[in-house]
Amino acid sequence: MSRLTIVANIKAKADQVDLVKSELLKLINTTRTEEGCVNYNLHQDNDNPAHFLFYENWQSRDLWQIHMNNTHLQEYMAATKGAVEEFTLNEMTEIDN
């Protein structure tokens, strides 16, 4: 089975960038220790500091789903309620040549 790649775009409201960034950073260490996490990398747009992107790889969709239901993500959602302008998530599979 192919591993799952996740690309998550988070766009904070202009006056909430610092809050959203600090809450996103809290997710990294916990998530990286979860079963199935290959990598979990947070990026911030050089031209638009309100735009964050997680690039993630998981051993399987089932293990990623466990991550999505974990307490630390629920805590992030509660802490950033009303602070995120836009959120998009893409589940992707790498194409081997």
Side-chain angles (χ1 to χ4, degrees):
M1 175 181 274
S2 298
R3 71 182 186 186
L4 178 69
T5 299
I6 300 294
V7 179
N9 284 279
I10 303 104
K11 293 183 180 171
K13 291 184 177 174
D15 61 344
Q16 299 291 322
V17 172
D18 291 341
L19 168 72
V20 172
K21 183 177 184 175
S22 68
E23 293 298 323
L24 290 171
L25 287 168
K26 290 179 188 177
L27 297 173
I28 295 173
N29 289 337
T30 304
T31 300
R32 286 180 176 166
T33 64
E34 290 179 301
E35 183 183 359
C37 181
V38 177
N39 67 285
Y40 191 74
N41 299 60
L42 179 64
H43 305 267
Q44 188 172 21
D45 190 297
N46 293 339
D47 295 323
N48 178 8
H51 180 191
F52 300 93
L53 179 142
F54 265 118
Y55 177 76
E56 316 168 27
N57 283 290
W58 294 86
Q59 290 173 353
S60 72
R61 188 174 194 280
D62 288 343
L63 291 169
W64 173 69
Q65 285 290 298
I66 293 168
H67 158 72
M68 290 301 289
N69 290 307
N70 274 346
T71 306
H72 59 285
L73 275 179
Q74 293 167 12
E75 290 169 352
Y76 160 79
M77 295 296 286
T80 60
K81 186 174 175 117
V84 174
E85 190 78 47
E86 183 182 338
F87 174 76
T88 58
L89 186 143
N90 298 95
E91 295 182 42
M92 308 185 90
T93 302
E94 184 174 349
I95 301 171
D96 294 323
N97 291 335

PDB file of all heavy atoms in Angstrom, residues 50-80:
ATOM      1  N   ALA A  50       0.529  34.994   7.019  1.00  0.00           N
ATOM      2  CA  ALA A  50      -0.711  34.405   7.523  1.00  0.00           C
ATOM      3  C   ALA A  50      -0.978  33.025   6.917  1.00  0.00           C
ATOM      4  O   ALA A  50      -1.892  32.335   7.346  1.00  0.00           O
ATOM      5  CB  ALA A  50      -1.890  35.335   7.240  1.00  0.00           C
ATOM      6  N   HIS A  51      -0.179  32.628   5.927  1.00  0.00           N
ATOM      7  CA  HIS A  51      -0.389  31.354   5.228  1.00  0.00           C
ATOM      8  C   HIS A  51       0.622  30.324   5.731  1.00  0.00           C
ATOM      9  O   HIS A  51       1.825  30.493   5.591  1.00  0.00           O
ATOM     10  CB  HIS A  51      -0.226  31.567   3.720  1.00  0.00           C
ATOM     11  CG  HIS A  51      -0.429  30.325   2.913  1.00  0.00           C
ATOM     12  ND1 HIS A  51      -0.115  30.281   1.585  1.00  0.00           N
ATOM     13  CD2 HIS A  51      -0.908  29.093   3.222  1.00  0.00           C
ATOM     14  CE1 HIS A  51      -0.392  29.078   1.113  1.00  0.00           C
ATOM     15  NE2 HIS A  51      -0.872  28.340   2.095  1.00  0.00           N
ATOM     16  N   PHE A  52       0.081  29.253   6.307  1.00  0.00           N
ATOM     17  CA  PHE A  52       0.893  28.138   6.796  1.00  0.00           C
ATOM     18  C   PHE A  52       0.555  26.897   5.985  1.00  0.00           C
ATOM     19  O   PHE A  52      -0.562  26.745   5.493  1.00  0.00           O
ATOM     20  CB  PHE A  52       0.605  27.874   8.275  1.00  0.00           C
ATOM     21  CG  PHE A  52       0.908  29.045   9.157  1.00  0.00           C
ATOM     22  CD1 PHE A  52      -0.093  29.956   9.468  1.00  0.00           C
ATOM     23  CD2 PHE A  52       2.184  29.245   9.653  1.00  0.00           C
ATOM     24  CE1 PHE A  52       0.177  31.056  10.277  1.00  0.00           C
ATOM     25  CE2 PHE A  52       2.461  30.337  10.471  1.00  0.00           C
ATOM     26  CZ  PHE A  52       1.462  31.245  10.774  1.00  0.00           C
ATOM     27  N   LEU A  53       1.531  25.996   5.880  1.00  0.00           N
ATOM     28  CA  LEU A  53       1.320  24.761   5.144  1.00  0.00           C
ATOM     29  C   LEU A  53       1.981  23.623   5.904  1.00  0.00           C
ATOM     30  O   LEU A  53       3.145  23.725   6.295  1.00  0.00           O
ATOM     31  CB  LEU A  53       1.923  24.867   3.744  1.00  0.00           C
ATOM     32  CG  LEU A  53       1.800  23.632   2.852  1.00  0.00           C
ATOM     33  CD1 LEU A  53       1.533  24.060   1.414  1.00  0.00           C
ATOM     34  CD2 LEU A  53       3.034  22.759   2.903  1.00  0.00           C
ATOM     35  N   PHE A  54       1.225  22.561   6.141  1.00  0.00           N
ATOM     36  CA  PHE A  54       1.797  21.320   6.664  1.00  0.00           C
ATOM     37  C   PHE A  54       1.991  20.372   5.499  1.00  0.00           C
ATOM     38  O   PHE A  54       1.081  20.157   4.695  1.00  0.00           O
ATOM     39  CB  PHE A  54       0.862  20.649   7.681  1.00  0.00           C
ATOM     40  CG  PHE A  54       1.159  20.988   9.104  1.00  0.00           C
ATOM     41  CD1 PHE A  54       0.214  21.643   9.872  1.00  0.00           C
ATOM     42  CD2 PHE A  54       2.371  20.654   9.693  1.00  0.00           C
ATOM     43  CE1 PHE A  54       0.462  21.965  11.191  1.00  0.00           C
ATOM     44  CE2 PHE A  54       2.644  20.967  11.015  1.00  0.00           C
ATOM     45  CZ  PHE A  54       1.684  21.624  11.771  1.00  0.00           C
ATOM     46  N   TYR A  55       3.198  19.814   5.408  1.00  0.00           N
ATOM     47  CA  TYR A  55       3.497  18.752   4.448  1.00  0.00           C
ATOM     48  C   TYR A  55       3.763  17.506   5.278  1.00  0.00           C
ATOM     49  O   TYR A  55       4.685  17.480   6.096  1.00  0.00           O
ATOM     50  CB  TYR A  55       4.710  19.117   3.583  1.00  0.00           C
ATOM     51  CG  TYR A  55       5.097  18.028   2.626  1.00  0.00           C
ATOM     52  CD1 TYR A  55       4.356  17.800   1.474  1.00  0.00           C
ATOM     53  CD2 TYR A  55       6.205  17.206   2.874  1.00  0.00           C
ATOM     54  CE1 TYR A  55       4.703  16.788   0.593  1.00  0.00           C
ATOM     55  CE2 TYR A  55       6.550  16.198   2.004  1.00  0.00           C
ATOM     56  CZ  TYR A  55       5.802  15.996   0.859  1.00  0.00           C
ATOM     57  OH  TYR A  55       6.137  14.990  -0.004  1.00  0.00           O
ATOM     58  N   GLU A  56       2.918  16.492   5.101  1.00  0.00           N
ATOM     59  CA  GLU A  56       2.953  15.312   5.955  1.00  0.00           C
ATOM     60  C   GLU A  56       2.968  14.047   5.109  1.00  0.00           C
ATOM     61  O   GLU A  56       2.355  14.006   4.051  1.00  0.00           O
ATOM     62  CB  GLU A  56       1.699  15.234   6.829  1.00  0.00           C
ATOM     63  CG  GLU A  56       1.278  16.514   7.476  1.00  0.00           C
ATOM     64  CD  GLU A  56      -0.122  16.434   8.086  1.00  0.00           C
ATOM     65  OE1 GLU A  56      -0.564  15.319   8.474  1.00  0.00           O
ATOM     66  OE2 GLU A  56      -0.778  17.478   8.159  1.00  0.00           O
ATOM     67  N   ASN A  57       3.634  13.039   5.622  1.00  0.00           N
ATOM     68  CA  ASN A  57       3.551  11.712   5.035  1.00  0.00           C
ATOM     69  C   ASN A  57       3.244  10.711   6.138  1.00  0.00           C
ATOM     70  O   ASN A  57       3.821  10.775   7.227  1.00  0.00           O
ATOM     71  CB  ASN A  57       4.856  11.328   4.323  1.00  0.00           C
ATOM     72  CG  ASN A  57       4.979  12.024   2.991  1.00  0.00           C
ATOM     73  OD1 ASN A  57       4.263  11.719   2.048  1.00  0.00           O
ATOM     74  ND2 ASN A  57       5.893  12.984   2.898  1.00  0.00           N
ATOM     75  N   TRP A  58       2.313   9.816   5.819  1.00  0.00           N
ATOM     76  CA  TRP A  58       1.849   8.794   6.769  1.00  0.00           C
ATOM     77  C   TRP A  58       1.974   7.432   6.126  1.00  0.00           C
ATOM     78  O   TRP A  58       1.791   7.290   4.910  1.00  0.00           O
ATOM     79  CB  TRP A  58       0.394   9.074   7.156  1.00  0.00           C
ATOM     80  CG  TRP A  58       0.284  10.349   7.929  1.00  0.00           C
ATOM     81  CD1 TRP A  58       0.163  11.615   7.422  1.00  0.00           C
ATOM     82  CD2 TRP A  58       0.354  10.492   9.347  1.00  0.00           C
ATOM     83  NE1 TRP A  58       0.141  12.531   8.450  1.00  0.00           N
ATOM     84  CE2 TRP A  58       0.253  11.872   9.639  1.00  0.00           C
ATOM     85  CE3 TRP A  58       0.476   9.590  10.402  1.00  0.00           C
ATOM     86  CZ2 TRP A  58       0.280  12.358  10.943  1.00  0.00           C
ATOM     87  CZ3 TRP A  58       0.494  10.081  11.697  1.00  0.00           C
ATOM     88  CH2 TRP A  58       0.398  11.451  11.955  1.00  0.00           C
ATOM     89  N   GLN A  59       2.242   6.417   6.947  1.00  0.00           N
ATOM     90  CA  GLN A  59       2.395   5.055   6.429  1.00  0.00           C
ATOM     91  C   GLN A  59       1.093   4.525   5.841  1.00  0.00           C
ATOM     92  O   GLN A  59       1.127   3.703   4.923  1.00  0.00           O
ATOM     93  CB  GLN A  59       2.912   4.119   7.519  1.00  0.00           C
ATOM     94  CG  GLN A  59       4.342   4.407   7.888  1.00  0.00           C
ATOM     95  CD  GLN A  59       4.804   3.585   9.088  1.00  0.00           C
ATOM     96  OE1 GLN A  59       4.015   2.890   9.734  1.00  0.00           O
ATOM     97  NE2 GLN A  59       6.087   3.682   9.390  1.00  0.00           N
ATOM     98  N   SER A  60      -0.042   5.000   6.357  1.00  0.00           N
ATOM     99  CA  SER A  60      -1.327   4.572   5.810  1.00  0.00           C
ATOM    100  C   SER A  60      -2.402   5.602   6.145  1.00  0.00           C
ATOM    101  O   SER A  60      -2.238   6.412   7.074  1.00  0.00           O
ATOM    102  CB  SER A  60      -1.743   3.216   6.384  1.00  0.00           C
ATOM    103  OG  SER A  60      -2.131   3.355   7.738  1.00  0.00           O
ATOM    104  N   ARG A  61      -3.502   5.546   5.410  1.00  0.00           N
ATOM    105  CA  ARG A  61      -4.621   6.454   5.687  1.00  0.00           C
ATOM    106  C   ARG A  61      -5.244   6.147   7.046  1.00  0.00           C
ATOM    107  O   ARG A  61      -5.673   7.047   7.755  1.00  0.00           O
ATOM    108  CB  ARG A  61      -5.680   6.353   4.579  1.00  0.00           C
ATOM    109  CG  ARG A  61      -6.756   7.424   4.725  1.00  0.00           C
ATOM    110  CD  ARG A  61      -7.745   7.449   3.562  1.00  0.00           C
ATOM    111  NE  ARG A  61      -8.528   8.678   3.602  1.00  0.00           N
ATOM    112  CZ  ARG A  61      -9.575   8.881   4.387  1.00  0.00           C
ATOM    113  NH1 ARG A  61      -9.973   7.938   5.232  1.00  0.00           N
ATOM    114  NH2 ARG A  61     -10.234  10.031   4.351  1.00  0.00           N
ATOM    115  N   ASP A  62      -5.281   4.874   7.412  1.00  0.00           N
ATOM    116  CA  ASP A  62      -5.859   4.502   8.701  1.00  0.00           C
ATOM    117  C   ASP A  62      -5.083   5.145   9.855  1.00  0.00           C
ATOM    118  O   ASP A  62      -5.686   5.650  10.808  1.00  0.00           O
ATOM    119  CB  ASP A  62      -5.877   2.981   8.876  1.00  0.00           C
ATOM    120  CG  ASP A  62      -6.920   2.305   7.979  1.00  0.00           C
ATOM    121  OD1 ASP A  62      -7.830   3.012   7.484  1.00  0.00           O
ATOM    122  OD2 ASP A  62      -6.815   1.086   7.789  1.00  0.00           O
ATOM    123  N   LEU A  63      -3.753   5.126   9.778  1.00  0.00           N
ATOM    124  CA  LEU A  63      -2.943   5.732  10.841  1.00  0.00           C
ATOM    125  C   LEU A  63      -3.099   7.249  10.853  1.00  0.00           C
ATOM    126  O   LEU A  63      -3.125   7.872  11.916  1.00  0.00           O
ATOM    127  CB  LEU A  63      -1.476   5.320  10.691  1.00  0.00           C
ATOM    128  CG  LEU A  63      -1.215   3.842  10.981  1.00  0.00           C
ATOM    129  CD1 LEU A  63       0.196   3.453  10.560  1.00  0.00           C
ATOM    130  CD2 LEU A  63      -1.472   3.500  12.438  1.00  0.00           C
ATOM    131  N   TRP A  64      -3.259   7.851   9.677  1.00  0.00           N
ATOM    132  CA  TRP A  64      -3.506   9.296   9.618  1.00  0.00           C
ATOM    133  C   TRP A  64      -4.859   9.632  10.247  1.00  0.00           C
ATOM    134  O   TRP A  64      -4.995  10.629  10.941  1.00  0.00           O
ATOM    135  CB  TRP A  64      -3.431   9.788   8.171  1.00  0.00           C
ATOM    136  CG  TRP A  64      -3.843  11.206   8.008  1.00  0.00           C
ATOM    137  CD1 TRP A  64      -3.172  12.322   8.453  1.00  0.00           C
ATOM    138  CD2 TRP A  64      -5.033  11.693   7.368  1.00  0.00           C
ATOM    139  NE1 TRP A  64      -3.871  13.458   8.121  1.00  0.00           N
ATOM    140  CE2 TRP A  64      -5.013  13.102   7.461  1.00  0.00           C
ATOM    141  CE3 TRP A  64      -6.097  11.074   6.733  1.00  0.00           C
ATOM    142  CZ2 TRP A  64      -6.033  13.899   6.933  1.00  0.00           C
ATOM    143  CZ3 TRP A  64      -7.099  11.859   6.203  1.00  0.00           C
ATOM    144  CH2 TRP A  64      -7.060  13.254   6.302  1.00  0.00           C
ATOM    145  N   GLN A  65      -5.848   8.789  10.021  1.00  0.00           N
ATOM    146  CA  GLN A  65      -7.175   9.022  10.600  1.00  0.00           C
ATOM    147  C   GLN A  65      -7.126   8.986  12.123  1.00  0.00           C
ATOM    148  O   GLN A  65      -7.821   9.768  12.787  1.00  0.00           O
ATOM    149  CB  GLN A  65      -8.171   7.968  10.077  1.00  0.00           C
ATOM    150  CG  GLN A  65      -8.612   8.202   8.655  1.00  0.00           C
ATOM    151  CD  GLN A  65      -9.512   9.413   8.525  1.00  0.00           C
ATOM    152  OE1 GLN A  65     -10.585   9.457   9.102  1.00  0.00           O
ATOM    153  NE2 GLN A  65      -9.071  10.396   7.784  1.00  0.00           N
ATOM    154  N   ILE A  66      -6.310   8.106  12.683  1.00  0.00           N
ATOM    155  CA  ILE A  66      -6.131   8.076  14.138  1.00  0.00           C
ATOM    156  C   ILE A  66      -5.563   9.416  14.595  1.00  0.00           C
ATOM    157  O   ILE A  66      -6.026  10.005  15.577  1.00  0.00           O
ATOM    158  CB  ILE A  66      -5.228   6.897  14.554  1.00  0.00           C
ATOM    159  CG1 ILE A  66      -5.949   5.576  14.276  1.00  0.00           C
ATOM    160  CG2 ILE A  66      -4.819   7.019  16.026  1.00  0.00           C
ATOM    161  CD1 ILE A  66      -5.064   4.342  14.378  1.00  0.00           C
ATOM    162  N   HIS A  67      -4.568   9.918  13.876  1.00  0.00           N
ATOM    163  CA  HIS A  67      -3.986  11.237  14.177  1.00  0.00           C
ATOM    164  C   HIS A  67      -5.061  12.322  14.153  1.00  0.00           C
ATOM    165  O   HIS A  67      -5.123  13.167  15.049  1.00  0.00           O
ATOM    166  CB  HIS A  67      -2.880  11.549  13.167  1.00  0.00           C
ATOM    167  CG  HIS A  67      -2.568  13.001  13.025  1.00  0.00           C
ATOM    168  ND1 HIS A  67      -1.910  13.732  14.001  1.00  0.00           N
ATOM    169  CD2 HIS A  67      -2.818  13.872  12.021  1.00  0.00           C
ATOM    170  CE1 HIS A  67      -1.782  14.980  13.588  1.00  0.00           C
ATOM    171  NE2 HIS A  67      -2.331  15.101  12.396  1.00  0.00           N
ATOM    172  N   MET A  68      -5.913  12.287  13.149  1.00  0.00           N
ATOM    173  CA  MET A  68      -6.920  13.333  12.983  1.00  0.00           C
ATOM    174  C   MET A  68      -7.931  13.353  14.129  1.00  0.00           C
ATOM    175  O   MET A  68      -8.562  14.371  14.376  1.00  0.00           O
ATOM    176  CB  MET A  68      -7.649  13.175  11.645  1.00  0.00           C
ATOM    177  CG  MET A  68      -6.782  13.484  10.437  1.00  0.00           C
ATOM    178  SD  MET A  68      -6.121  15.172  10.445  1.00  0.00           S
ATOM    179  CE  MET A  68      -7.614  16.112  10.126  1.00  0.00           C
ATOM    180  N   ASN A  69      -8.074  12.240  14.828  1.00  0.00           N
ATOM    181  CA  ASN A  69      -9.025  12.154  15.930  1.00  0.00           C
ATOM    182  C   ASN A  69      -8.373  12.311  17.305  1.00  0.00           C
ATOM    183  O   ASN A  69      -9.055  12.178  18.325  1.00  0.00           O
ATOM    184  CB  ASN A  69      -9.786  10.825  15.851  1.00  0.00           C
ATOM    185  CG  ASN A  69     -10.734  10.810  14.664  1.00  0.00           C
ATOM    186  OD1 ASN A  69     -11.550  11.714  14.512  1.00  0.00           O
ATOM    187  ND2 ASN A  69     -10.610   9.818  13.814  1.00  0.00           N
ATOM    188  N   ASN A  70      -7.067  12.603  17.322  1.00  0.00           N
ATOM    189  CA  ASN A  70      -6.365  12.706  18.599  1.00  0.00           C
ATOM    190  C   ASN A  70      -6.688  14.001  19.336  1.00  0.00           C
ATOM    191  O   ASN A  70      -7.071  15.010  18.736  1.00  0.00           O
ATOM    192  CB  ASN A  70      -4.855  12.580  18.392  1.00  0.00           C
ATOM    193  CG  ASN A  70      -4.398  11.136  18.392  1.00  0.00           C
ATOM    194  OD1 ASN A  70      -5.127  10.238  18.793  1.00  0.00           O
ATOM    195  ND2 ASN A  70      -3.183  10.910  17.933  1.00  0.00           N
ATOM    196  N   THR A  71      -6.494  13.975  20.628  1.00  0.00           N
ATOM    197  CA  THR A  71      -6.835  15.089  21.512  1.00  0.00           C
ATOM    198  C   THR A  71      -6.103  16.371  21.140  1.00  0.00           C
ATOM    199  O   THR A  71      -6.689  17.454  21.175  1.00  0.00           O
ATOM    200  CB  THR A  71      -6.476  14.715  22.975  1.00  0.00           C
ATOM    201  OG1 THR A  71      -7.106  13.483  23.276  1.00  0.00           O
ATOM    202  CG2 THR A  71      -6.926  15.776  23.939  1.00  0.00           C
ATOM    203  N   HIS A  72      -4.819  16.273  20.778  1.00  0.00           N
ATOM    204  CA  HIS A  72      -4.060  17.506  20.508  1.00  0.00           C
ATOM    205  C   HIS A  72      -4.609  18.270  19.307  1.00  0.00           C
ATOM    206  O   HIS A  72      -4.529  19.495  19.268  1.00  0.00           O
ATOM    207  CB  HIS A  72      -2.551  17.236  20.397  1.00  0.00           C
ATOM    208  CG  HIS A  72      -2.156  16.272  19.328  1.00  0.00           C
ATOM    209  ND1 HIS A  72      -2.338  14.923  19.450  1.00  0.00           N
ATOM    210  CD2 HIS A  72      -1.569  16.478  18.135  1.00  0.00           C
ATOM    211  CE1 HIS A  72      -1.879  14.331  18.356  1.00  0.00           C
ATOM    212  NE2 HIS A  72      -1.415  15.248  17.545  1.00  0.00           N
ATOM    213  N   LEU A  73      -5.207  17.585  18.353  1.00  0.00           N
ATOM    214  CA  LEU A  73      -5.832  18.300  17.231  1.00  0.00           C
ATOM    215  C   LEU A  73      -7.133  18.958  17.669  1.00  0.00           C
ATOM    216  O   LEU A  73      -7.449  20.060  17.230  1.00  0.00           O
ATOM    217  CB  LEU A  73      -6.069  17.362  16.048  1.00  0.00           C
ATOM    218  CG  LEU A  73      -4.874  17.191  15.114  1.00  0.00           C
ATOM    219  CD1 LEU A  73      -5.206  16.234  13.993  1.00  0.00           C
ATOM    220  CD2 LEU A  73      -4.410  18.514  14.551  1.00  0.00           C
ATOM    221  N   GLN A  74      -7.873  18.302  18.539  1.00  0.00           N
ATOM    222  CA  GLN A  74      -9.095  18.908  19.070  1.00  0.00           C
ATOM    223  C   GLN A  74      -8.758  20.156  19.887  1.00  0.00           C
ATOM    224  O   GLN A  74      -9.458  21.167  19.804  1.00  0.00           O
ATOM    225  CB  GLN A  74      -9.854  17.879  19.914  1.00  0.00           C
ATOM    226  CG  GLN A  74     -10.391  16.725  19.080  1.00  0.00           C
ATOM    227  CD  GLN A  74     -10.855  15.549  19.929  1.00  0.00           C
ATOM    228  OE1 GLN A  74     -10.986  15.657  21.138  1.00  0.00           O
ATOM    229  NE2 GLN A  74     -11.080  14.416  19.284  1.00  0.00           N
ATOM    230  N   GLU A  75      -7.666  20.089  20.637  1.00  0.00           N
ATOM    231  CA  GLU A  75      -7.226  21.249  21.422  1.00  0.00           C
ATOM    232  C   GLU A  75      -6.816  22.405  20.506  1.00  0.00           C
ATOM    233  O   GLU A  75      -7.116  23.567  20.787  1.00  0.00           O
ATOM    234  CB  GLU A  75      -6.067  20.858  22.347  1.00  0.00           C
ATOM    235  CG  GLU A  75      -6.510  19.938  23.470  1.00  0.00           C
ATOM    236  CD  GLU A  75      -5.351  19.318  24.242  1.00  0.00           C
ATOM    237  OE1 GLU A  75      -4.171  19.486  23.819  1.00  0.00           O
ATOM    238  OE2 GLU A  75      -5.624  18.658  25.262  1.00  0.00           O
ATOM    239  N   TYR A  76      -6.130  22.078  19.406  1.00  0.00           N
ATOM    240  CA  TYR A  76      -5.755  23.105  18.421  1.00  0.00           C
ATOM    241  C   TYR A  76      -7.004  23.774  17.850  1.00  0.00           C
ATOM    242  O   TYR A  76      -7.078  24.999  17.754  1.00  0.00           O
ATOM    243  CB  TYR A  76      -4.907  22.495  17.292  1.00  0.00           C
ATOM    244  CG  TYR A  76      -4.905  23.361  16.051  1.00  0.00           C
ATOM    245  CD1 TYR A  76      -4.095  24.484  15.979  1.00  0.00           C
ATOM    246  CD2 TYR A  76      -5.762  23.095  14.985  1.00  0.00           C
ATOM    247  CE1 TYR A  76      -4.129  25.307  14.859  1.00  0.00           C
ATOM    248  CE2 TYR A  76      -5.805  23.913  13.876  1.00  0.00           C
ATOM    249  CZ  TYR A  76      -4.985  25.020  13.818  1.00  0.00           C
ATOM    250  OH  TYR A  76      -5.027  25.847  12.720  1.00  0.00           O
ATOM    251  N   MET A  77      -7.996  22.965  17.479  1.00  0.00           N
ATOM    252  CA  MET A  77      -9.227  23.510  16.893  1.00  0.00           C
ATOM    253  C   MET A  77      -9.925  24.451  17.872  1.00  0.00           C
ATOM    254  O   MET A  77     -10.395  25.526  17.490  1.00  0.00           O
ATOM    255  CB  MET A  77     -10.174  22.377  16.486  1.00  0.00           C
ATOM    256  CG  MET A  77      -9.645  21.490  15.367  1.00  0.00           C
ATOM    257  SD  MET A  77      -9.411  22.353  13.808  1.00  0.00           S
ATOM    258  CE  MET A  77     -11.103  22.531  13.308  1.00  0.00           C
ATOM    259  N   ALA A  78      -9.967  24.071  19.133  1.00  0.00           N
ATOM    260  CA  ALA A  78     -10.607  24.914  20.149  1.00  0.00           C
ATOM    261  C   ALA A  78      -9.825  26.208  20.356  1.00  0.00           C
ATOM    262  O   ALA A  78     -10.407  27.297  20.451  1.00  0.00           O
ATOM    263  CB  ALA A  78     -10.722  24.148  21.461  1.00  0.00           C
ATOM    264  N   ALA A  79      -8.497  26.111  20.377  1.00  0.00           N
ATOM    265  CA  ALA A  79      -7.658  27.282  20.650  1.00  0.00           C
ATOM    266  C   ALA A  79      -7.682  28.287  19.502  1.00  0.00           C
ATOM    267  O   ALA A  79      -7.490  29.486  19.717  1.00  0.00           O
ATOM    268  CB  ALA A  79      -6.221  26.847  20.930  1.00  0.00           C
ATOM    269  N   THR A  80      -7.909  27.808  18.278  1.00  0.00           N
ATOM    270  CA  THR A  80      -7.856  28.687  17.106  1.00  0.00           C
ATOM    271  C   THR A  80      -9.241  28.981  16.532  1.00  0.00           C
ATOM    272  O   THR A  80      -9.354  29.551  15.448  1.00  0.00           O
ATOM    273  CB  THR A  80      -6.964  28.082  15.998  1.00  0.00           C
ATOM    274  OG1 THR A  80      -7.489  26.816  15.605  1.00  0.00           O
ATOM    275  CG2 THR A  80      -5.518  27.944  16.463  1.00  0.00           C
TER     276      THR A  80
END
